[in-house]
Amino acid sequence: MAIECLVLGAGQEVGKSCAVVTINGKRIMFDCGMHMGYLDHRRFPDFSLISKSADFNTAIDCIVITHFHLDHVGALPYFTEVCGYSGPIYMTYPTKALSPLMLEDYRKVMVDRRGEQELFSNDDIMKCMKKVIAVDLKQTVQVDKDLQIRAYYAGHVLGAAMFYAKVGDAAMVYTGDYNMTPDRHLGAAQIDRLQLDLLITESTYATTVRDSKYAREREFLKAVHKCVADGGKVLIPTFALGRAQELCILLDNYWERMNLKVPIYFSAGLTIQANMYYKMLISWTNQRVKETYATHNAFDFKNVRSFDRSLINAPGPCVLFATPGMISGGFSLEVFKLWAPSEMNLVTLPGYCLAGTIGHKLTTGKPTKIDLDKDIQISVRCQIHQLSFSPHTDAKGIMDLVKFLSPKHVILVHGEKPKMASLKGKIESDLGIQCYYPANNDTVCIPSTCWLKADTSKTFIRSSLNPNFKFVKTISEDKSNLVSKETEATSVLQVHDERVAEGILIVEKSKKAKVVHQNELLLMIGKDKHDVQFAYCCPVQIGNLERTKGMDFALSKNVVSTSDECSWLHLLFAKLATKLGGNIQDFGQHLQVDSIHISVCLKDICPYRTTDGPQKEPAVFFCCTWSVADVNLAWEIISIMENLDLSII
Amino acid sequence: MEQHLGSVCECILSLSTNDKRLNLRALASARSLIINSSTSDSTISALFETLTRFLQLTTEPRALHHTLKLLSDIAFHHSRLSGLVFHSVRSYLLRSDSTRLSAESLAVLSSIAEHDRSLASAMDELDDRFFVSLCFGPSVSVRSWFLSNAFRFPIRPYVLLTVMLGFTKDPYPYVRRVALDGLVGLSKSSVIEDCGVIEGCYCRAVELLGDAEDSVRCAAVHAVSEWGKMLVASVQEMNKRYWSDAVFVRLCSMVRDMSMEVRVAAFDALGKIGVVSEDILLQTLSKRVLGITKEKKPLGQCSAKRKSLGQYIPKHFDIQACVAAGAFVHGLEDEFYEVRWSACHSLHTLTILSAKFAGEALNLLMDVLNDDSLNVRLRALETMHHMATCDHLKVQETHMHMFLGTLVDNSTFIRSTARKILRLMKLHDLKMFQSSIDGLLENLEVYPQDEADILSVLFDIGRNHGNFVVCIIKKFSQEIEPSCEGRLDFDSVRVAALLVLAISAPLSEAQKVCSIPSRIFSYAVTLLGRISHALKDVMNQNTLLAYLSHCSKSTIVDNSESFFPMIEGDIPNCSCIDMISPAGMSLQQGASENENQKRLEPRKSATPLLDCQLEVHSEVAKSIKLILLKINDIWFLVQKGCMAEVLRMLRSFREELATYMSDSLVSADTLAFTFQYLRVVKLLAKVWEHFLPPRKTQSYRIGELNLLLGKLDRNLKEMRYRFRGLSKEEELHVLELILVTCILRLSKVEICCHNATLKKLSMIISHAEFLHKEGSIEPYNFVVELKKSLGEIDTYNDGASCRPFLLKRLLESFSLKQFRLSGSPKHIKAEIDLPVRIGCG
């Protein structure tokens, strides 16, 4: 069994996220985004790679969308309405609520403003959204008999989720975009410690390690406060969703604490609508917003008022959030034209600005004049402040997540190639986890876990219910220290509970595997139990004794009569007892130490006797037998016996 | 009701013969009979008989379960029968073969034994094997119940350790968790000394840090912290640092856990580690791996060296310092305020360890002042305050905006804590000084209710930064000067503030020759009432007037110290208005009336300012003094019944003191005395709670008050006899506490031993009187009242009706005074070694 991951988008790039994963025969498409940088066929993932016959309904079992950003959801109406996919689509409730907003906004901009060919209509968006099944966090959805998915909180934007998918025993997580540090309105990503074969993670900031966000917030607040305290106006051009709410919470709180009375304005439009959604979707925000919700909804901004066009030229300080971000046109540009010439005012640019926009010109270099077009030139005397807030996790966050989940394999997507390569190296060397970063349209194959189901016997189950632990001192020898030629050994106390391990797995042909208790094994296979016994016939010298006693004993050299048998044994007992202490027991006919059994051997030819030379001294033979457990002890005793002389008292 | 008894008993008995279905009705009525206090004794006895018989007859587990429950109810509601119940349940326990029912009966037995000490010895007769066999059965719920209650039973620690350690391997996560909790409990009992065992427990806990279950990881963090502490204590001196670092880094690896509880536990544990290398500490403040820790050597020393010291660490226990990277950065920007609070709190103790670390941590802490949660902001400020008292607070210019922002915070707590820090802060340049003054003036403008405290802070800052004051006052002098009509703007608090700042300058050490125009001092006289109200902790109105009039004549103060000695640390906010330092007298003679001086003379010895001078300027002494001061405030809370808050505060004091324990420079005796005092106050507060009008339905265990009073007595006795060299006042303070305890005892009819207590009362009073006379110390109000009514108490020997009111009135007149520790008492200790055999087996 294997997991196959076909990367259709966001492989070694940022944009049009789309990964098709086949787990044990089930195919899931994670995200279906569009690339904002292209206007040709490259803007959509190459869906033909999924199915040559374009029969997507049989090729794909379900689609999972992580969040409402266009590079994750942008191609969805196209895929469902134009390409004809009609299977299940899963996304979280906020994503379902906000995606049509984003898609429609994009469609309008493309079609109405730029006059481009329509890729999908408003109807398509609506129809597509009807097919969507909304899921809640940590809700396990059984897509079909074998496939189950579950969403986990991802931070990033409202409603963003990481998705866990499991088919049979193989499991994986697709993170989408996520944030490991909380911001003012969203929490940090949160997931259980799962057993995973594969983790597909974004890697937008694969090498960046970001400092505390607090410092940047502090700078921002300080700049804004200073500006309004001196009577200036602050313009914050942002997009409607996410950043605007975050900064607004930050300012609103600060205003509250500092007792500032300067008005904060929101330009009308999408932002107002978006705020409404935020107010409703409180359960998807962070701890503080959720906890204070009962008394005060954090998105009911106390100091925020709606903006009226006449206020642009009104005297006195104020703060204004205006769309779109990057001052790429629209209302924010209109306000910028009027406010830029005064040095009292401040323009704060949160986040990244695309090249070519006024925002970009302001952040690169310090222009004093900006040519809007041939005729209009704006003189820029206001202060410029740039904020770099990002809702993506940094390299340390990615490492922390990978370390916490400890999957068997990691695939990096949604990042830049050289940085991904460096992160891959780090994951492999630091965490010892196999890592890949395939390019677009490449497939990565990894082996997946497969569990074999086995029956169990009742005795085994009963035995595993009862605890059965023991303590072992593991001796660890340090052999690396060759210089001193000493092996230093120290022991560490460890606990073992072997109740489960003591079962025996039986796999018979054409039968299901079965685990039984060790006592049942013999019964089951119908065989007798065999014990391995060791035996050795050991000579013990008695030379001197014979001489002193004279030759009364009319004995051949090596034979001892039965009457003497016991006396020899007693003699040996006395000798061994002094050497071994109280462990040894005398049973008359034999001696015993644990499983070691010693008796006098009267045979002329004993099979356990080693006859590697003529006997020089007179000796009595003792037959020793023992079982495996006492091997070491037995040889120790034998070596004592061989060096004994029973005649010396 | 009781007529039904016969039928109830029959019903119960019928269960044994016909146990197909439980008669729940009969059980319910039996229970209501038991808990009804008006049920006659004979009925209860009959019920008990029936139930006992039933216990012997039936085998049905459900019926037995209910029977045991009813029997335990009888034992608790009718204590005369508890012994009988105990024995009948015990005999059942010994023959029961069901683990579950054995556990249940054991639970009944132990709770009876906990109430009735005389039965405890009967519990001891059950041996370890019996207890332990319970958890080796197949029932998981019994296993986890037993493990979490194991400490209630008399089991030898080593047996318990084996069981607990073994069950950390259990496949059930809840069993693993309670086993880890049990290990934590054992680590506190401090009977385990074997190095190998300690290491084994520590390593097992470390393994479980990677458990799949949140609750197990959380328990593992506690266990790693506790056993890590033991491990550090057990290794040789040269390895201590290594192991302490290793435990610290190990805990750091848990701060990025996905579970909030685990993170909180990890930060709490980090704060408890006493010794950490500076480079590792610094690494926790940077998410980037620093040069020092970058090399892949496992912590500080190289492994070869470690091995040569005879320490072997299994490969997977090797841990690299870079794991600690950014631990506190993450903690302080965590989503959950619990985590942020805990991170701030652990910084509190760690910043003592290294000045460099404290400096870097301050950068982060300053940003926490912008936190959403009031608690976190307050904690951050308190941490800074603590840093300031340790002289580790190095505020830079970049911090000032954020810090001074807290002065206009809308929370009173935040503002006052911020001002407390400002008092101690060392401002390096004029710019910072100027912005601080601006901040305070803004504070004053927005929150006029803070006036008194702000003026006093300004006075302190001015004394500490005389040079800057002179510069600033020059700038502000226009504002202070009377307007063109020649009238000083009396209403302006701002002017008052600036005047306070101005008049503080001559007292500065750095400013021997004061260049503040002398007329400003005359202006200040016009606001005398206002200023002296604010500065009441430092000097009284007369002194202030004397000082001002002196300065308005000549601005040279020869020995500024003689007026108001510099006070380091917090200014005591005691309300003694008539304080004056004797050195200032000479000056005062000229300025104010002699009569005043006479009035004050006998009190000289009591002035806290003198105490301050006598005080050794060591940190600990300061801290002890602060704590003694704060205890004074606690009394108010005790009277209000905010016990949780009081106990929390006392605990934090104890923890604070405990950090000095290792400090060899500190007089251990003084510490011991303070600890003892804290214990007494805690017990007193707990006892006092019983005398407050009940606020909500609170239940106290039987005999709890008696137990508490006993403890209080014992502790007070220790305080009185085990410390030598107490001054008379100190002794009187202790005596007063003893008297209060007596009165408390007398007020509860059910526990007082009337005659003995009275005897003790009169004895103590006469001793107190003697001390008062000898030391010519004014007796406390409470003692005076008590002496007056002593006769009355005596006459109402039989607890007549008016006595409760009398006692109540007496108790009301008591309030905890501030304990002034002037000398250092000697702690008398004697240790007796007895050959003690542990356990019973």
Side-chain angles (χ1 to χ4, degrees), chain A residues 248 252 263-266 275 301-306 321:
Chain A
C248 206
D252 203 51
I264 302 173
Y265 295 115
F266 255 19
N275 271 356
F301 302 113
K302 284 183 192 156
N303 299 289
V304 171
R305 293 155 218 185
S306 66
F321 286 88

Side-chain angles (χ1 to χ4, degrees), chain B residues 503-776:
Chain B
I503 62 170
S504 68
L507 295 169
S508 163
E509 277 179 323
Q511 195 65 23
K512 287 296 176 204
V513 181
C514 182
S515 44
I516 302 282
S518 56
R519 63 179 180 285
I520 286 193
F521 294 92
S522 324
Y523 297 152
V525 175
T526 59
L527 293 173
L528 185 65
R530 200 169 195 167
I531 295 173
S532 77
H533 171 68
L535 304 183
K536 63 181 178 223
D537 293 340
V538 193
M539 57 177 128
N540 67 347
Q541 199 162 350
N542 294 322
T543 325
L544 182 63
L545 183 63
Y547 166 66
L548 288 177
S549 32
H550 172 82
C551 287
S552 57
K553 284 176 207 148
S554 85
T555 51
I556 299 162
V557 181
D558 296 330
N559 182 8
S560 54
E561 241 81 349
S562 65
F563 264 102
F564 326 98
M566 301 288 284
I567 296 163
E568 292 186 19
D570 281 18
I571 308 294
N573 60 353
C574 53
S575 51
C576 300
I577 296 194
D578 304 328
M579 293 183 290
I580 186 159
S581 70
M585 293 299 179
S586 58
L587 206 144
Q588 203 181 21
Q589 275 171 335
S592 73
E593 323 87 296
N594 278 338
E595 159 203 10
N596 189 26
Q597 189 190 350
K598 269 179 222 148
R599 191 162 59 84
L600 289 167
E601 219 139 28
R603 282 216 174 189
K604 253 190 263 178
S605 56
T607 55
L609 285 179
L610 259 190
D611 291 0
C612 295
Q613 283 169 318
L614 285 170
E615 191 129 282
V616 195
H617 281 275
S618 87
E619 217 172 275
V620 191
K622 219 190 296 173
S623 160
I624 288 177
K625 205 178 124 222
L626 268 178
I627 285 171
L628 289 177
L629 255 171
K630 282 181 192 158
I631 285 176
N632 212 18
D633 302 337
I634 281 182
W635 193 245
F636 176 71
L637 290 172
V638 172
Q639 280 171 324
K640 283 269 173 292
C642 315
M643 283 316 288
E645 178 67 9
V646 170
L647 292 179
R648 195 187 60 75
M649 282 171 84
L650 286 171
R651 197 158 48 240
S652 72
F653 295 156
R654 249 195 338 268
E655 276 165 16
E656 193 176 335
L657 284 183
T659 55
Y660 298 115
M661 286 291 265
S662 51
D663 200 341
S664 57
L665 294 169
V666 183
S667 141
D669 294 338
T670 316
L671 258 177
F673 186 81
T674 318
F675 268 123
Q676 185 75 16
Y677 185 63
L678 281 175
R679 243 189 321 269
V680 164
V681 171
K682 185 179 93 185
L683 286 166
L684 188 59
K686 276 187 177 170
V687 170
W688 203 267
E689 194 188 6
H690 288 261
F691 291 85
L692 291 172
R695 292 198 300 170
K696 47 183 182 252
T697 46
Q698 273 168 310
S699 60
Y700 300 113
R701 290 204 329 227
I702 310 162
E704 187 181 329
L705 184 61
N706 197 6
L707 208 69
L708 283 171
L709 277 171
K711 273 193 198 166
L712 185 57
D713 270 338
R714 204 164 53 246
N715 276 296
L716 280 168
K717 219 179 273 172
E718 274 181 30
M719 210 164 160
R720 195 172 164 206
Y721 296 119
R722 287 191 58 188
F723 292 93
R724 247 186 7 221
L726 289 179
S727 74
K728 290 201 179 63
E729 277 155 81
E730 286 156 359
E731 202 176 343
L732 276 172
H733 195 107
V734 178
L735 289 180
E736 192 197 19
L737 290 174
I738 295 175
L739 287 174
V740 172
T741 316
C742 290
I743 295 294
L744 285 170
R745 207 177 254 282
L746 283 171
S747 321
K748 286 278 163 173
V749 182
E750 65 267 30
I751 48 168
C752 77
C753 325
H754 197 86
N755 290 329
T757 316
L758 274 181
K759 214 164 138 193
K760 189 171 169 192
L761 200 63
S762 49
M763 223 160 69
I764 301 282
I765 287 183
S766 55
H767 185 67
E769 251 177 298
F770 167 73
L771 284 175
H772 283 308
K773 270 182 203 144
E774 201 184 11
S776 58

Side-chain angles (χ1 to χ4, degrees), chain A residues 216-471:
Chain A
R216 280 165 284 149
E217 285 185 352
R218 172 173 23 114
E219 291 301 312
F220 168 71
L221 291 174
K222 193 176 170 185
V224 172
H225 190 168
K226 193 166 167 293
C227 175
V228 294
D230 296 342
K233 292 179 163 65
V234 182
L235 171 66
I236 308 176
T238 57
F239 288 105
L241 287 168
R243 193 58 39 74
Q245 282 76 15
E246 186 192 348
L247 291 179
C248 206
I249 287 188
L250 185 62
L251 282 182
D252 203 51
N253 273 332
Y254 188 74
W255 254 231
E256 187 76 21
R257 263 188 296 124
M258 297 296 158
N259 257 317
L260 295 179
K261 296 287 175 245
V262 177
I264 302 173
Y265 295 115
F266 255 19
S267 73
L270 196 53
T271 324
I272 306 290
Q273 203 178 352
N275 271 356
M276 191 185 73
Y277 278 109
Y278 273 88
K279 264 187 240 176
M280 289 194 301
L281 297 166
I282 287 293
S283 60
W284 295 79
T285 55
N286 67 15
Q287 182 205 27
R288 188 192 71 89
V289 178
K290 275 189 265 187
E291 280 192 351
T292 53
Y293 161 66
T295 47
H296 166 67
N297 192 324
F299 297 102
D300 267 333
F301 302 113
K302 284 183 192 156
N303 299 289
V304 171
R305 293 155 218 185
S306 66
F307 193 66
D308 186 82
R309 217 158 265 278
S310 63
L311 291 168
I312 297 181
N313 290 315
C318 72
V319 178
L320 171 68
F321 286 88
T323 50
M326 311 182 202
I327 326 186
S328 52
F331 190 62
S332 55
L333 179 63
E334 200 179 314
V335 178
F336 177 73
K337 276 192 262 181
L338 292 166
W339 288 5
S342 164
E343 57 266 300
M344 273 163 79
N345 296 342
L346 170 75
V347 175
T348 297
L349 293 155
Y352 176 73
C353 289
L354 268 181
T357 57
I358 293 181
H360 188 253
K361 282 179 203 159
L362 290 177
T363 51
T364 53
K366 293 205 180 292
T368 48
K369 279 187 180 117
I370 284 180
D371 298 315
L372 203 58
D373 51 45
K374 275 179 224 149
D375 310 323
I376 310 168
Q377 194 183 46
I378 312 170
S379 72
V380 181
R381 282 208 218 97
C382 65
Q383 309 145 56
I384 310 291
H385 180 86
Q386 201 193 1
L387 261 179
S388 52
F389 281 5
S390 172
H392 290 275
T393 180
D394 64 353
K396 182 153 191 306
I398 299 173
M399 290 298 284
D400 286 339
L401 184 79
V402 174
K403 191 174 156 208
F404 181 77
L405 289 174
S406 301
K408 298 203 179 80
H409 304 266
V410 174
I411 292 181
L412 303 177
V413 292
H414 203 282
E416 293 159 40
K417 191 177 173 184
K419 292 182 182 171
M420 288 164 108
S422 127
L423 183 63
K424 169 198 148 86
K426 204 160 179 307
I427 289 176
E428 291 190 339
S429 68
D430 287 10
L431 304 175
I433 297 170
Q434 194 97 51
C435 184
Y436 316 86
Y437 57 109
N440 276 349
N441 304 338
D442 277 1
T443 303
V444 175
C445 242
I446 61 153
S448 71
T449 315
C450 187
W451 302 94
L452 193 68
K453 280 211 178 99
D455 289 334
T456 48
S457 72
K458 277 189 182 145
T459 326
F460 173 68
I461 289 193
R462 233 175 293 124
S463 82
S464 22
L465 284 178
N466 289 321
N468 175 26
F469 50 74
K470 47 182 146 188
F471 299 93

Side-chain angles (χ1 to χ4, degrees), chain B residues 171-226:
Chain B
Y172 293 89
Y174 288 104
V175 177
R176 290 201 296 274
R177 195 197 66 201
V178 289
L180 279 168
D181 289 343
L183 281 182
V184 172
L186 275 170
S187 74
K188 284 176 183 141
S189 71
S190 71
V191 280
I192 285 104
E193 278 157 358
D194 183 281
C195 220
V197 172
I198 293 174
E199 205 180 322
C201 288
Y202 171 75
C203 291
R204 183 69 197 125
V206 166
E207 273 175 60
L208 283 176
L209 287 178
D211 199 275
E213 204 66 29
D214 291 356
S215 60
V216 180
R217 291 203 299 276
C218 196
V221 169
H222 292 301
V224 166
S225 155
E226 292 301 326

